[in-house]
Amino acid sequence: MVYHTDNMLLTPIHEVLRGEKNDVFVCRDMASPVEARYVLWVVHDRAAIKKLLHIFENEPRELLEGETPFLRQFADGESMVFLFAYRPPRELLRFAFGQMDSVQARERVSIDLVMACLASPMPFPILCQMLEQGCVNIAADGSLYFTYAVDLAALNEADDEAVCTDLCVGLVLRLLEENKRLKSMRLLHMKLEKSAYHDLTELYRDIRLTVVPDKRASLLTRLRGVWRRNRDKWFRWLLAVSVLIVVFTLFVLLSQLIFGEVPLFRLFEHSMDVVGTEVLARK
């Protein structure tokens, strides 16, 4: 089977799945000089096509100008075809543990996972299926990316960001499961049990707040941190002290001009050294 769209000639070279609602193929563009590869969703169920189009058209996620969840969309007979970029799969839960040699590395990957979900243009109902079906991958350099081998049979339009966040929490907990005493583990377990998460940003914030530092910061680094955290407050104090000094200086000058002395300074004189107009000599 060959699929035509615009100036592309897409020939399937690998069948990823054949499903009740859709098939997924890796294909090659025979019209490309480099024979670029793509992923094709061939959706052959009418109800699934209607549901999918409704999700793509009405999903509230904010996208950049010109950004779409897929590269191309076109009809092929009674089927609807969606075209996605192709990257070889390298499943997160299969490869990550061999690359994460520390608690800090696992937490960094967890943060990157949440960021990948936040940055994805994919509507939440489909993103939920991608998370459930193991479409999160880790490159050799530790970066995360999604693949699109998705069976749409269980696609649910009601799945929103809260559901997506809970699924993301589940993956994070599996990444951190060997370190059960981590603050992040306790916090995530507690919130997951209560279904307390409503958005991915909250999950990102919780992981960031509880990460284990890579190493103890140097004294200079800690002092810089203290300065950054308190500089505004210290500046206000310094400004207040400066104002008081200026006011006191003006008071001294005016007193000297008007009275020839500063009455306030008498408080610092020895009271028995001056009697009337006589100044007693000190022994």
Side-chain angles (χ1 to χ4, degrees):
M1 183 68 179
V2 179
Y3 298 92
H4 301 266
T5 175
D6 296 335
N7 57 345
M8 303 177 77
L9 188 63
L10 303 167
T11 302
I13 58 174
H14 173 59
E15 181 182 298
V16 180
L17 69 86
R18 281 196 179 271
E20 176 187 350
K21 308 291 184 181
N22 69 298
D23 304 326
V24 179
F25 301 100
V26 175
C27 63
R28 179 186 291 128
D29 181 10
M30 303 304 294
S32 167
V34 295
E35 297 189 349
R37 296 186 179 189
Y38 301 92
V39 174
L40 279 183
W41 287 359
V42 182
V43 188
H44 46 72
D45 181 85
R46 290 185 179 181
I49 293 173
K50 183 178 180 180
K51 181 189 297 185
L52 199 57
L53 291 175
H54 184 265
I55 289 172
F56 280 133
E57 292 172 2
N58 296 281
E59 175 59 39
R61 297 200 73 173
E62 294 184 3
L63 302 179
L64 298 175
E65 185 177 353
E67 186 179 26
T68 60
F70 44 81
L71 299 178
R72 300 281 178 89
Q73 170 195 341
F74 58 94
D76 182 77
E78 295 185 356
S79 298
M80 184 64 68
V81 182
F82 297 89
L83 184 70
F84 300 90
Y86 171 76
R87 287 187 69 173
R90 202 168 184 272
E91 294 179 17
L92 175 66
L93 295 179
R94 181 180 174 188
F95 289 92
F97 297 102
Q99 296 180 215
M100 300 183 300
D101 55 359
S102 66
V103 174
Q104 292 84 357
R106 290 171 183 257
E107 290 184 322
R108 281 196 298 271
V109 171
S110 300
I111 291 171
D112 290 345
L113 172 60
V114 182
M115 290 297 296
C117 291
L118 282 167
S120 172
M122 194 63 74
F124 287 120
I126 302 174
L127 186 58
C128 286
Q129 294 301 311
M130 293 167 64
L131 291 171
E132 283 192 302
Q133 297 180 37
C135 295
V136 185
N137 300 265
I138 184 168
D141 63 1
S143 60
L144 300 186
Y145 62 95
F146 291 107
T147 48
Y148 302 95
V150 181
D151 186 346
L152 300 174
L155 184 62
N156 183 1
E157 290 183 77
D159 287 344
D160 57 9
E161 186 172 2
V163 176
C164 185
T165 304
D166 283 346
L167 291 169
C168 198
V169 171
L171 277 175
V172 170
L173 289 174
R174 293 185 67 180
L175 291 171
L176 302 176
E177 62 185 354
E178 292 185 6
N179 307 92
K180 298 185 184 300
R181 295 185 179 181
L182 289 175
K183 291 181 181 179
S184 52
M185 283 284 287
R186 296 196 297 270
L187 179 60
L188 296 183
H189 269 300
M190 180 184 68
K191 287 199 168 184
L192 184 60
E193 289 173 359
K194 297 179 178 179
S195 297
Y197 283 114
H198 297 95
D199 56 64
L200 290 161
T201 305
E202 184 181 357
L203 173 58
Y204 172 82
R205 183 174 61 249
D206 282 351
I207 300 176
R208 289 287 299 178
L209 288 174
T210 56
V211 292
V212 177
D214 288 338
K215 60 181 180 179
R216 186 172 177 81
S218 65
L219 178 60
L220 181 59
T221 301
R222 281 178 281 161
L223 288 175
R224 287 174 177 169
V226 171
W227 163 250
R228 285 194 297 269
R229 289 192 297 271
N230 296 284
R231 59 187 175 186
D232 291 340
K233 179 171 63 177
W234 290 347
F235 175 76
R236 289 193 295 270
W237 288 354
L238 182 61
L239 181 61
V241 171
S242 300
V243 170
L244 289 175
I245 292 174
V246 170
V247 171
F248 179 74
T249 303
L250 291 174
F251 170 76
V252 170
L253 290 174
L254 289 173
S255 296
Q256 193 68 38
L257 290 173
I258 296 172
F259 303 108
E261 61 176 343
V262 183
L264 182 63
F265 288 170
R266 294 178 184 175
L267 297 174
F268 303 100
E269 295 180 355
H270 294 281
S271 57
M272 297 305 295
D273 290 348
V274 180
V275 179
T277 59
E278 299 294 328
V279 178
L280 302 181
R282 296 180 181 178
K283 293 182 179 181

